[in-house]
Amino acid sequence: MARPRQTVLTRQRIVEVAAALVDAEGLEAVSVRRLATELGVAGPSLYHHFATKNDILDAVADAVVARVDVSAFATHGWADALRLWANSYHAVLCAHPNIVPVLAQGPGRRPAALAMADTVYGGLIEAGWPPARATHIGALMRYLVQGSALGSFAGGFDENPEVYAERYPHLRDAHLLAEHRRSVDEGAFVLGLETVITGLEAMRNGVLP
């Protein structure tokens, strides 16, 4: 009689299942026990690939960042490259918002995250930005992109108009924001991005200090 086939466990498979859990249920859903159950293996077998749960979450975060397109820094001027990269980064994180708190801790030793940071910083340096200012720009863009993906502005308001009617007269239409969530949130991100880039261009041209 043939032996039953055993599940082939790989780092990639662990990351795929962990990523699906994070997307569906959040970071708190990931545990070695839960992953082992989902993968159909014994818990200790995961430790052959990852030392801790945090290492697994790091790998999930890096797999997400690896999807961000940074190629524009090799083909476009710095302003257009920033715009294209930020839009790609924003789209990727909005598709996987539950992993953003891990990304917000910084790149650490994650290969894809470090490669992205290296490309962005290098592109700005090659465009003539001083190292300190290039660092500021990279940090600013990270705040903008990650912050915009972390939560919805429009979705943060109650849909009951009575909440605002008497005590908050300037918010009398706030209950309508939720139904326009996509246009409000995306519009705010685009406005922020274009404002930043316009300001940086003015700085490069000597209009701003």
Side-chain angles (χ1 to χ4, degrees):
M1 178 182 290
R3 292 172 126 190
R5 295 182 62 185
Q6 293 184 333
T7 301
V8 177
L9 193 62
T10 64
R11 284 179 62 92
Q12 181 178 348
R13 181 59 182 150
I14 294 170
V15 170
E16 288 173 351
V17 172
L21 282 176
V22 171
D23 283 345
E25 302 178 35
L27 295 171
E28 62 281 355
V30 178
S31 68
V32 171
R33 179 178 295 182
R34 176 72 183 278
L35 284 172
T37 299
E38 296 287 334
L39 290 160
V41 300
S45 61
L46 272 67
Y47 292 113
H48 293 299
H49 301 277
F50 294 98
T52 67
K53 184 186 89 167
N54 286 339
D55 288 340
I56 296 172
L57 292 176
D58 267 350
V60 171
D62 215 40
V64 170
V65 170
R67 300 172 193 172
V68 178
D69 185 1
V70 296
S71 63
F73 286 95
T75 57
H76 291 68
W78 69 267
D80 285 337
L82 275 182
R83 183 179 290 108
L84 292 167
W85 164 62
N87 277 301
S88 175
Y89 197 10
H90 176 70
V92 169
L93 295 197
C94 284
H96 306 281
N98 290 338
I99 199 64
V100 174
V102 177
L103 294 173
Q105 298 171 10
R109 298 185 178 184
R110 300 182 208 120
L114 289 170
M116 182 174 74
D118 184 70
T119 298
V120 174
Y121 179 75
L124 292 170
I125 292 295
E126 290 177 7
W129 284 97
R133 189 60 75 194
T135 300
H136 295 158
I137 294 170
L140 171 60
M141 298 299 287
R142 194 186 86 175
Y143 299 151
L144 174 63
V145 174
Q146 292 184 0
S148 66
L150 191 58
S152 167
F153 174 81
F157 289 88
D158 197 287
E159 296 182 31
N160 182 354
E162 294 181 4
V163 172
Y164 313 101
E166 295 183 6
R167 296 184 62 186
Y168 311 104
H170 296 295
L171 298 179
R172 61 182 177 274
D173 294 325
H175 65 286
L176 301 174
L177 288 173
E179 64 185 83
H180 302 289
R181 176 173 178 166
R182 182 178 179 82
S183 63
V184 171
D185 292 346
E186 289 298 313
F189 172 72
V190 171
L191 174 62
L193 177 60
E194 292 305 319
T195 300
V196 167
I197 291 177
T198 299
L200 291 173
E201 289 177 321
M203 185 180 294
R204 278 300 296 270
N205 293 330
V207 178
L208 294 176

